[in-house]
Amino acid sequence: MANPIVSTHPLVAHKLTILRDKNTEPKKFRELIREIATLLTYEATQDLQTQVKQVTTPLTTTQGQVIKENIGLVPILRAGLGMVQGVWGLVPSAEVWHIGLYRDEKTLKPVEYYNKLPVEPTVSVCLILDPMLATGGSAVATVDILKRWGVKNIKFIGILGAPEGIARLMEHHPEVPIHLAAVDEKLNEFGYILPGLGDAGDRQFGTG
Ligand code: PRP
Ligand code: URA
């Protein structure tokens, strides 16, 4: 598997450019996060398994296909929340399981503050949603949580990835596909992605 899988779709590139712009207001920013998440999900779900289902049209009966797997969307709070509606639009039957992590400002290590996963897994595929893959700490911790829960088929859908975060996620979880809109240059000394788009949570929620 080639990793990361970076979208080459012109619509993704166009929307990402507006997303990066420091003058883009939170309302537009949220809209773009949702739209880019939808486009990336279309690409990331190409290998979902289907099963045959008989369907009766107004004229006759034929065989169609329906998605076979139970899908879980796993937004990492807060910034991943903005991706949910876009992905859910494509996969309306998906369950949504929130994971709350924030990065400690000094250590940049993820701190877990919300996890209400039940004991037994209820889904067979998890799509982790988080726009930013910076040091990779949050993504690695979330995959760790989902593997402990018992899920084997896990995909990461982000928007921007730094080389450092991509390398870390691939080192810890090489079988997890990483879907991104772009790979940026590097992290700055505060762990922010350059050129990046700033703080994805603050820009969505107007808290910056
Ligand atoms: C951001 C982002 C990721 C994390 C990425 O969350 O949404 O979850 O940082 O950084 P990492 O790859 O170095 O772990 P943040 O901690 O700012 O929380 P927020 O979404 O609540 O703003
Ligand atoms: N989290 C963000 O929101 N932005 C970054 O650039 C890095 C981590």
Side-chain angles (χ1 to χ4, degrees):
M1 175 187 61
N3 228 358
I5 303 131
V6 183
S7 177
T8 55
H9 201 295
L11 286 176
V12 172
H14 178 92
K15 289 174 191 297
L16 177 59
T17 303
I18 306 170
L19 190 74
R20 288 186 193 275
D21 189 331
K22 66 175 186 178
N23 294 317
T24 298
E25 303 281 337
K27 180 173 185 291
K28 182 71 183 166
F29 192 89
R30 291 192 294 272
E31 205 174 288
L32 291 161
I33 290 268
R34 194 176 65 235
E35 290 171 354
I36 294 171
T38 307
L39 292 165
L40 294 180
T41 300
Y42 177 74
E43 295 178 351
T45 50
Q46 287 190 62
D47 62 350
L48 286 183
Q49 290 183 21
T50 58
Q51 63 192 17
V52 171
K53 184 171 190 262
Q54 191 121 326
V55 58
T56 305
T57 77
L59 303 176
T60 184
T61 296
T62 186
Q63 280 194 343
Q65 293 178 57
V66 290
I67 301 293
K68 189 173 168 185
E69 298 167 289
N70 290 334
I71 300 168
L73 311 184
V74 184
I76 304 180
L77 304 178
R78 293 174 302 161
L81 274 181
M83 299 173 73
V84 171
Q85 286 304 328
V87 182
W88 231 354
L90 292 186
V91 198
S93 62
E95 299 176 11
V96 180
W97 292 102
H98 302 85
I99 295 293
L101 297 176
Y102 71 87
R103 265 193 342 174
D104 180 278
E105 278 178 19
K106 289 205 178 73
T107 65
L108 297 184
K109 293 215 170 88
V111 181
E112 186 177 324
Y113 63 90
Y114 186 86
N115 176 352
K116 293 280 182 195
L117 294 174
V119 176
E120 294 298 327
T122 55
V123 294
S124 53
V125 181
C126 278
L127 307 180
I128 298 176
L129 309 178
D130 190 334
M132 309 306 274
L133 181 59
T135 66
S138 306
V140 168
T142 305
V143 179
D144 287 341
I145 290 168
L146 296 176
K147 282 188 175 174
R148 279 200 298 276
W149 194 33
V151 179
K152 293 194 172 56
N153 189 348
I154 301 170
K155 297 168 188 277
F156 180 89
I157 304 180
I159 291 182
L160 288 185
E164 296 89 331
I166 293 166
R168 185 150 170 203
L169 183 51
M170 285 173 63
E171 181 194 337
H172 287 262
H173 301 293
E175 77 290 1
V176 172
I178 304 170
H179 293 269
L180 295 169
V183 176
D184 271 9
E185 281 165 32
K186 59 179 180 181
L187 297 177
N188 71 10
E189 74 235 70
F190 306 109
Y192 275 79
I193 299 177
L194 289 176
L197 51 76
D199 189 305
D202 282 345
R203 291 196 66 187
Q204 285 181 71
F205 296 108
T207 50

